């Protein structure tokens, strides 16, 4: 018999800690993986998307700190979009839509000046 690929053989945790100011605005975001040797690491923004198994709906948490600059958000969004295009291709093998997605990512990168214009 073959391996049971759905059997859980190990668990890891990712912990997110969000520090809020008196207005409940994020001022500090830290994340830590249970198998990390480094301890908590600070970041300026996070985007979390979860696809709910039962309801077939996407749950999202999008947070950024007050110190996140617009040019940093542009870079963050460009890199996220680029990663999403790659993930979409790897998950679906749909080359045509993936290429269309990447054309938009290129456009976004140029418009935000994250990438030099061609």
């Amino acid at each position: 018999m073959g391996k049971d690929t759905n059997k859980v053989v190990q668990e890891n945790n990712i912990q997110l800690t969000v520090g809020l100011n008196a207005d409940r605005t994020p001022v500090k975001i830290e994340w830590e993986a249970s198998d990390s040797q480094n301890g908590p690491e600070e970041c300026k923004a996070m985007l979390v998307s979860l696809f709910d198994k039962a309801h077939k709906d996407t749950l999202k948490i999008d947070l950024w700190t007050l110190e996140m600059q617009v040019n940093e958000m542009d870079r963050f969004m460009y890199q996220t979009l680029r990663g999403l295009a790659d993930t979409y291709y790897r998950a679906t093998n749909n080359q045509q839509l993936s290429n269309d997605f990447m054309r938009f990512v290129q456009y976004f990168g140029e418009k935000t000046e994250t990438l030099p214009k061609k």
Side-chain angles (χ1 to χ4, degrees):
M1 276 195 166
K3 269 185 175 176
D4 182 0
T5 58
N6 289 323
K7 181 180 178 186
V8 175
V9 297
Q10 180 180 345
E11 287 187 354
N12 291 321
N13 293 302
I14 298 172
Q15 180 176 322
L16 300 167
T17 304
V18 180
L20 306 173
N21 67 12
D23 296 324
R24 299 189 47 85
T25 302
V27 291
K28 185 174 184 178
I29 302 171
E30 291 181 328
W31 71 277
E32 182 176 13
S34 60
D35 60 353
S36 172
Q37 304 287 322
N38 299 329
E41 299 202 32
E42 194 167 346
C43 60
K44 289 185 176 184
M46 66 178 224
L47 305 174
V48 178
S49 295
L50 305 165
F51 190 71
D52 184 272
K53 185 176 181 177
H55 298 101
K56 308 264 189 261
D57 200 5
T58 300
L59 311 169
K60 294 175 51 47
I61 302 171
D62 302 335
L63 298 174
W64 54 93
T65 64
L66 291 173
E67 69 180 57
M68 185 80 164
Q69 302 293 308
V70 171
N71 66 327
E72 292 174 319
M73 182 60 82
D74 288 342
R75 178 177 294 278
F76 180 50
M77 295 307 297
Y78 166 76
Q79 292 170 345
T80 299
L81 291 169
R82 188 173 172 159
L84 286 172
D86 180 55
T87 298
Y88 177 77
Y89 175 71
R90 286 185 290 117
T92 65
N93 214 24
N94 186 328
Q95 187 70 58
Q96 183 178 351
L97 272 179
S98 182
N99 288 344
D100 290 344
F101 198 164
M102 281 305 293
R103 275 192 285 281
F104 172 75
V105 173
Q106 181 74 26
Y107 170 81
F108 182 90
E110 290 173 4
K111 289 300 259 186
T112 60
E113 298 181 355
T114 302
L115 296 175
K117 291 183 181 178
K118 287 184 176 181

